[in-house]
Amino acid sequence: MNDHELQLKSFALRRSMLQTIVGAGAGHTGGGLSCMDILNVLYNRVLNVSPQTFSDPHRDRYVQSKGHCVEALYAVLADRGFFPAADLATVCHYQSHYVGHPTRHIPGIEMNTGALGHGLPICIGMALTAKMDSASYRVFTLLGDGELAEGSNWEAGLAAAHYKLDNLVAILDHNTLQISGHTRDVMSNEPLDEKWRAFGWEVRTVDGHDYATLTQALTEPSSGKPVFVIANTVKGKGVSFMENVAKWHHGVPSAAELEEALAELNAAEAKQKEIA
């Protein structure tokens, strides 16, 4: 899938996610929009996993540590055929397995997450297991920048470097906003690149909405270290009135807002098709 096809796919995935959140009556809209391009590249270019190979012990592993943005992951998994797209209409409904955080009840999801700071430590175990078994699969996880206030991430970071887990890639959805404001104001974690290098990781900083640079950062072999990808993104990406607005960390668009958002995405998609 080339860059143009990925971009068109992202428009469809963003629409799907927004409609799912409105149908559910709950969801983390801004962060889902900011990480969508990352998930798109992972599942359509990088990860060695599919609905047919999900039980294969040699598959790549992906754990969404920022589990509150599960609606974005649901959209991608449905698009890849892990479950019927019609299931998205049941998210957060009575007796549905599709709840507001990842759960292993859902096809394609490796691990229950939601309590922040758990995804990276889990992935340390997965990557270390691969090393012990001389297995070739890689392990990927997606973190939120507000999530880095959890100390368990830094303990895991030390362990990953200690065990030389060059089969591990941690991706940071660096949109600089969390539910209560900018991360620099709530609990500053900058300079992130220097800190993760000091912890023994190879750090790669990219535009989190650029498919080519994302692909390179996620596929290029490491220098014998775990890889930390700082993906600079825009909270609410693709919907003008949501972009860089903290209140959309968690929020459900009204009917009018959904209509406006879908119209913007449709117009941007049409323009992209004309350019191509």
Side-chain angles (χ1 to χ4, degrees):
M1 192 174 288
N2 62 35
D3 288 356
H4 174 67
E5 291 168 332
L6 281 177
Q7 188 161 24
L8 296 181
K9 176 74 71 178
S10 278
F11 289 125
L13 292 171
R14 285 185 167 91
R15 286 193 295 265
S16 174
M17 189 204 81
L18 288 169
Q19 291 166 328
T20 296
I21 287 173
V22 169
H28 289 76
T29 307
L33 291 170
S34 70
C35 72
M36 188 63 84
D37 295 319
I38 299 169
L39 294 176
N40 189 4
V41 169
L42 276 170
Y43 277 90
N44 288 298
R45 270 193 179 165
V46 176
L47 292 176
N48 178 27
V49 68
S50 69
Q52 294 73 35
T53 63
F54 189 65
S55 61
D56 187 334
H58 301 293
R59 73 190 182 280
D60 287 339
R61 272 70 164 167
Y62 170 74
V63 174
Q64 185 145 314
S65 191
K66 52 174 292 179
H68 53 284
C69 291
V70 71
E71 296 87 10
L73 180 57
Y74 286 158
V76 173
L77 291 177
D79 180 74
R80 283 297 315 276
F82 282 88
F83 53 80
D87 286 6
L88 296 175
T90 74
V91 173
C92 290
H93 287 208
Y94 179 59
Q95 291 188 331
S96 173
H97 287 309
Y98 295 83
V99 294
H101 287 87
T103 165
R104 293 179 67 193
H105 287 295
I106 307 302
I109 291 181
E110 292 280 357
M111 188 59 61
N112 296 12
T113 56
L116 297 178
H118 285 194
L120 184 55
I122 289 169
C123 288
I124 302 300
M126 291 179 171
L128 187 56
T129 298
K131 289 289 186 183
M132 295 172 70
D133 291 344
S134 299
S136 61
Y137 65 81
R138 301 173 76 202
V139 182
F140 298 79
T141 187
L142 180 68
L143 306 166
D145 43 12
E147 181 181 7
L148 292 185
E150 299 286 352
S152 51
N153 291 301
W154 302 98
E155 294 179 36
L158 286 172
H162 174 79
Y163 291 110
K164 298 179 174 58
L165 299 181
D166 57 356
N167 56 346
L168 172 65
V169 179
I171 311 154
L172 182 68
D173 181 19
H174 192 218
N175 61 40
T176 75
L177 283 168
Q178 57 193 100
I179 193 168
S180 48
H182 284 95
T183 53
R184 64 175 179 266
D185 298 323
V186 179
M187 181 61 68
S188 179
N189 51 32
E190 302 291 347
L192 284 169
D193 54 349
E194 294 180 21
K195 288 180 178 177
W196 284 94
R197 285 192 188 98
F199 270 63
W201 290 58
E202 180 177 330
V203 178
R204 303 169 181 173
T205 302
V206 299
D207 179 343
H209 303 299
D210 183 277
Y211 307 109
T213 57
L214 270 172
T215 301
Q216 181 178 0
L218 296 173
T219 57
E220 190 174 89
S222 78
S223 56
K225 300 177 180 180
V227 173
F228 193 82
V229 178
I230 301 174
N232 293 316
T233 60
V234 176
K235 194 123 182 173
K237 176 68 174 179
V239 180
S240 62
F241 62 88
M242 295 181 181
E243 289 189 352
N244 288 313
V245 179
K247 78 169 188 175
W248 285 106
H249 176 90
H250 183 280
V252 179
S254 65
E257 288 169 332
L258 176 63
E259 183 178 0
E260 182 180 352
L262 295 179
E264 284 192 15
L265 290 168
N266 290 339
E269 180 182 43
K271 184 176 181 180
Q272 185 60 33
K273 287 179 177 178
E274 289 177 4
I275 294 172

